[in-house]
Amino acid sequence: MTSRRSAAWFAATGRSGMNHRSWMRGQGFTSEVFDGRPVIGIATTWSELAPCNVHLHRVAESVKRGVWQAGGFPLEFPAMALGETLLRPTAMLYRNLLAMEAEELIRANPLDGVVLLSGCDKTTPGLLMAASSVGLPAIMVTGGPKLNGKYQGGDVGSGTAVWRWEEDLLAGRMTQEECAFAEGCMSRSDGHCMTMGTASTMASMAEALGMQLPYSASWPAVDSRRYETAQRAGQVIVDLVEHDVTPDKIMTREAFENAIRVNAAIGGSTNAVVHLLAIAGRLGVPLELDDFDTLIRDVPTLVNLQPSGRYLMEDFCYAGGLPAVMRELGDLLHGGALTVTRKTIGENVKDAPCWNRDVIMPLDQPFQTAGTGTAVLRGNLAPDGAVIKQSAASPHLLKHRGRALVFDSPEAYHQVAADPELDVDEDTVLVIRYCGPKGYPGMPETANVPLPAKLLKRGVRDMVRICDGRMSGTAYGTVVLHVAPEAAAGGPLALVRSGDWITLDVPARTLALDIPDDEFAARRAAWTPPLRAASRGWTWLYTEHVQQADRGCDLDFLTGGSGAQVGRESH
Ligand code: FES
């Protein structure tokens, strides 16, 4: 048997080896676990403060069964749990901290491979970034979506329903008491958001990249097959270690192209853009923001799921899940891309059935026509790009010219959103700025602010909004996101004034501020940067080093990887 990485700890002689083994035996492990078998870390993002991940402790037990069955030695360890709903100012501020923490834990410990347990939005990309930078064999097991929410006889989707209920509350169509009852009906099981929000999207991206087992993205969190798949993943990681299948062999440029196209087909979240860019950056895979536009132009949306469509992840699972979508995409994908099964994507999905054509539509009769996924916009308002999710936007607003109404924070907008005297109509372009990676900080999901109450009461359901922040994957609307450079970094968004004309032309992929060049220059000369968000700690480090959205918002010193080598031995 070839010497494993973990042997440097557990096969060592003398005081060093005794220390490594003895302290582990204090947990009750017999000495056979040090016989050279693969040591498998199980990185869990379990926490009661991350409700979407709260069942990962149980998922980890299934993974352990599989590792033991395959002859490995499983060891569970915690990685930073990021709960999207509770963390302030935004969980995104901490994605890179999770990635940095998990990377160092994987590298510093006697592990030969790692199983990544994630669920809520940032935990999936954070762990994939970490594993990519270390380069040990890895497999992801996401925790699965909640069961469909049920309210007043119908389905309600996580987050997506909340946006609508908030508008209904503002417009007087729902009472506070009705909202309180409804919120209990929406979240009725373990699991992450069950719309095609960011968590479901990133679980699907992990599967499309080849980093988790087929069907893993869609089994509901409480479905026994979720636990079967986790057990299988425990077996598979041992196999990946035996054959030295590292993440860079799976997450190639072709795999990222597959993921981008799958994201278009499932109507996935715009957050996949920043996360995939960041993961690719760790692996040294060349990937650009414009790839997200060019690669999806011939890909229709096949999946009829909220927020773009009607159904939820439970329906998606019963309809055949991601393998059915990938089979349908056929030659639009690189079928030869390797996966954690040590088979190709094409082999994995070639016989995948579809059981409900209303949920997963055929390529020749898609839910939305080709090219309606994420579009990348450029122009004098977004020199380094911005994105818009066309499938969640209103078609009549994709070409629009309107006067700007500018707010320097979402809070400033919320203070006046209910004002009946607010100078706004349905043609107004709401600009919400200083919400980027440095500005807020952390690039929160604040872009899709609810419409002004006076418009909602008139029945207006959408208007153009532009922001340097992000939008929840559960949200919808004609919202231009990820404007780069952000206002806080001196991007042109900082120079817009209320009353300026802005032209959005999604078919032409442009976003323009219609002011003369000399006026542009004068405003730039007069602009002063805002005060830094923090002078110490993680937030200081983050704002000092975070890259813009078009680079995936990773810290500049974290791109690339350091490998699995550790420094000098201690103890
Ligand atoms: Fe965790 Fe939506 S809040 S996935």
Side-chain angles (χ1 to χ4, degrees):
M1 184 185 293
T2 56
S3 181
R4 301 191 189 285
R5 181 176 184 270
S6 58
W9 282 262
F10 295 135
T13 55
R15 187 176 63 87
S16 165
M18 283 190 278
N19 279 339
H20 298 142
R21 292 184 298 273
S22 175
W23 263 257
M24 293 303 287
R25 291 182 71 172
Q27 298 182 62
F29 293 119
T30 58
S31 58
E32 287 83 1
V33 297
F34 310 120
D35 63 2
R37 66 186 70 196
V39 180
I40 305 298
I42 302 171
T44 178
T45 49
W46 171 89
S47 167
E48 289 184 337
L49 288 168
C52 306
N53 295 16
V54 80
H55 61 304
L56 292 183
H57 243 6
R58 298 196 299 280
V59 175
E61 292 306 315
S62 293
V63 174
K64 285 180 199 172
R65 276 191 223 162
V67 173
W68 285 121
Q69 281 176 326
F73 175 23
L75 292 167
E76 183 182 357
F77 66 96
M80 191 177 182
L82 305 179
E84 195 66 28
T85 51
L86 299 183
L87 277 169
R88 291 185 177 177
T90 165
M92 183 63 176
L93 178 61
Y94 302 106
R95 181 201 65 180
N96 300 338
L97 186 56
L98 161 62
M100 192 159 70
E101 181 215 30
E103 175 186 342
E104 299 306 325
L105 283 173
I106 296 168
R107 182 183 299 115
N109 277 296
L111 303 177
D112 300 305
V114 64
V115 182
L116 312 167
L117 301 191
S118 68
C120 202
D121 297 11
K122 308 303 179 292
T123 52
T124 298
L127 289 178
L128 282 175
M129 290 160 71
S132 299
S133 287
V134 181
L136 288 175
I139 186 171
M140 175 146 269
V141 179
T142 53
K146 299 179 196 298
L147 297 174
N148 288 4
K150 296 285 181 185
Y151 176 61
Q152 292 185 337
D155 287 342
V156 287
S158 309
T160 303
V162 175
W163 303 115
R164 197 175 63 242
W165 291 337
E166 183 182 39
E167 288 176 356
D168 287 346
L169 191 62
L170 282 169
R173 292 188 290 267
M174 251 176 122
T175 65
Q176 197 70 58
E177 291 70 30
E178 287 170 327
C179 284
F181 181 75
E183 70 193 23
C185 303
M186 184 176 65
S187 303
R188 62 191 188 94
S189 80
D190 286 339
H192 57 66
C193 291
M194 84 311 256
T195 49
M196 189 51 82
T198 304
S200 300
T201 297
M202 290 314 299
S204 300
M205 293 298 90
E207 189 173 327
L209 283 166
M211 286 298 292
Q212 68 169 341
L213 292 171
Y215 298 100
S216 288
S218 56
W219 300 129
V222 296
D223 195 305
S224 58
R225 292 164 294 180
R226 160 80 36 205
Y227 290 86
E228 279 184 39
T229 304
Q231 187 167 332
R232 182 74 60 201
Q235 299 167 345
V236 166
I237 186 62
V238 174
D239 178 69
L240 293 173
V241 171
E242 299 287 2
H243 292 88
D244 194 31
V245 181
T246 46
D248 60 312
K249 293 172 184 158
I250 295 174
M251 290 190 280
T252 59
R253 164 82 193 187
E254 289 191 340
F256 279 96
E257 290 188 3
N258 284 346
I260 290 169
R261 290 193 147 148
V262 167
N263 192 42
I266 62 176
S269 165
T270 47
N271 286 321
V273 177
V274 288
H275 297 323
L276 290 176
L277 285 168
I279 298 163
R282 296 302 186 99
L283 292 156
V285 171
L287 198 67
E288 301 294 331
L289 181 60
D290 290 325
D291 289 327
F292 289 82
D293 192 307
T294 54
L295 285 166
I296 61 102
R297 290 197 179 227
D298 54 355
V299 182
T301 307
L302 303 181
V303 175
N304 180 8
L305 248 61
Q306 295 181 32
S308 301
R310 172 179 165 197
Y311 294 100
L312 295 168
M313 286 298 285
E314 195 181 340
D315 310 302
F316 182 52
C317 172
Y318 306 148
L322 205 67
V325 177
M326 296 182 79
R327 180 188 182 187
E328 195 65 39
L329 288 173
D331 291 341
L332 287 168
L333 301 182
H334 299 289
L338 183 68
T339 74
V340 287
T341 63
R342 287 202 297 118
K343 295 181 180 165
T344 65
I345 280 280
E347 289 170 319
N348 285 349
V349 308
K350 68 179 177 356
D351 298 320
C354 177
W355 304 108
N356 188 335
R357 282 299 184 193
D358 202 33
V359 178
I360 301 172
M361 298 190 170
L363 199 60
D364 57 1
Q365 286 178 287
F367 175 56
Q368 288 178 328
T369 55
T372 50
T374 300
V376 176
L377 311 172
R378 290 185 189 272
N380 67 355
L381 205 43
D384 292 337
V387 303
I388 184 168
K389 185 175 179 178
Q390 298 177 85
S391 61
S394 300
H396 72 282
L397 290 174
L398 293 176
K399 284 182 81 159
H400 181 79
R401 189 165 188 266
R403 285 192 180 276
L405 182 59
V406 181
F407 297 90
D408 282 345
S409 69
E411 291 80 11
Y413 169 72
H414 289 306
Q415 279 179 1
V416 299
D419 183 351
E421 302 301 319
L422 189 65
D423 183 17
V424 66
D425 62 31
E426 54 265 59
D427 292 328
T428 302
V429 175
L430 285 179
V431 173
I432 313 291
R433 64 188 178 192
Y434 295 103
C435 300
K438 291 177 188 291
Y440 199 76
M443 203 181 176
E445 295 177 335
T446 50
N448 57 309
V449 291
L451 269 51
K454 70 187 256 190
L455 297 185
L456 288 171
K457 284 180 179 150
R458 277 179 30 209
V460 177
R461 300 310 292 244
D462 195 10
M463 62 192 296
V464 174
R465 286 152 279 178
I466 299 176
C467 185
D468 45 7
R470 295 175 301 118
M471 177 170 88
S472 166
T474 62
Y476 50 84
T478 309
V479 192
V480 177
L481 314 155
H482 307 188
V483 174
E486 62 174 301
L493 201 63
L495 310 181
V496 184
R497 292 179 184 166
S498 291
D500 288 345
W501 287 96
I502 290 176
T503 304
L504 169 68
D505 188 340
V506 177
R509 302 295 196 260
T510 57
L511 180 67
L513 175 63
D514 301 335
I515 61 172
D517 289 347
D518 56 347
E519 173 67 11
F520 215 110
R523 291 188 193 180
R524 178 168 295 292
W527 180 76
T528 51
L531 292 174
R532 292 283 297 274
S535 57
R536 67 170 299 280
W538 169 252
T539 303
W540 173 82
L541 185 69
Y542 180 92
T543 52
E544 188 80 359
H545 290 282
V546 70
Q547 300 176 97
Q548 292 292 289
D550 61 305
R551 302 302 325 144
C553 305
D554 202 0
L555 302 190
D556 52 13
F557 63 86
L558 288 176
T559 54
S562 302
Q565 291 295 321
V566 283
R568 295 170 60 186
E569 183 188 18
S570 60
H571 289 289

